[in-house]
Amino acid sequence: MEEPHSVNSPRTILSFSKRGRTTTASVSFVDPNDEKSNSGEHGPKPSEVYGFVGSITTVVATAIYLAWAYIPEPWLHSIGIFYYPSRYWALAVPTYAMVIIVLAVIFYIGLNFMSTPPPTSLTTMFDEFSREPSSFLSHMEGDEQPIEPISDLGIDKINVLMFDDAE
């Protein structure tokens, strides 16, 4: 019985003994984490197939586009191609695509600015998750004080720390 991932070589190993036996060389690859090896299902995943077909289609479409855009009309007529879109579209479609991408980025940035509260709004400083510093540890002294719980600093304390000219 062969193992789940065995490869039989088409070559045979000849024995130079008097009996003249031939044996088939085989190599076995066993992956203990492979769930498919137990079920008997083999083959590529659908996402791999779609990726392969998509990449081949992209290469073929790019080659056809470049041929249509750069080969002169008399050459196309000489090989029997008479019906194709106007050369205007060879420049118009990429230009329109780039303009649409730039406008989409500008629109996205504008939506972000519109959904952000103004700097004077209190929601930029406080929300339902804001925590005031607790003062229950003030009775301990010296090195015995534990690390304070996580809390928010008030804007007045930050302004004093950053902009106080009393020093």
Side-chain angles (χ1 to χ4, degrees), residues 11-138:
R11 300 180 187 175
T12 57
I13 301 172
L14 298 175
S15 173
F16 293 110
S17 67
K18 293 180 182 179
R19 290 184 240 164
R21 289 185 304 178
T22 61
T23 58
T24 304
S26 66
V27 179
S28 177
F29 303 102
V30 178
D31 186 7
N33 298 327
D34 191 11
E35 294 146 3
K36 289 186 176 182
S37 64
N38 298 332
S39 64
E41 297 177 18
H42 298 287
K45 297 177 184 174
S47 60
E48 294 171 351
V49 174
Y50 294 149
F52 176 74
V53 170
S55 65
I56 296 298
T57 304
T58 302
V59 169
V60 169
T62 302
I64 290 172
Y65 170 77
L66 292 175
W68 163 63
Y70 289 110
I71 293 178
E73 286 187 23
W75 290 15
L76 291 174
H77 292 292
S78 68
I79 59 174
I81 300 175
F82 295 100
Y83 180 74
Y84 47 85
S86 170
R87 298 288 169 102
Y88 164 79
W89 294 108
L91 292 176
V93 170
T95 304
Y96 289 156
M98 291 305 297
V99 168
I100 287 172
I101 290 171
V102 168
L103 290 176
V105 168
I106 291 171
F107 182 71
Y108 180 72
I109 292 171
L111 279 177
N112 282 332
F113 277 125
M114 287 175 52
S115 65
T116 304
T120 57
S121 173
L122 290 177
T123 58
T124 59
M125 294 182 277
F126 303 106
D127 61 0
E128 65 269 12
F129 302 107
S130 297
R131 299 171 120 190
E132 292 295 322
S134 60
S135 60
F136 71 92
L137 300 173
S138 62

Side-chain angles (χ1 to χ4, degrees), residues 147-163:
I147 299 174
E148 295 182 15
I150 295 176
S151 62
D152 295 328
L153 295 176
I155 193 70
D156 55 338
K157 292 179 184 176
I158 293 174
N159 286 337
V160 167
L161 289 172
M162 292 182 68
F163 305 113

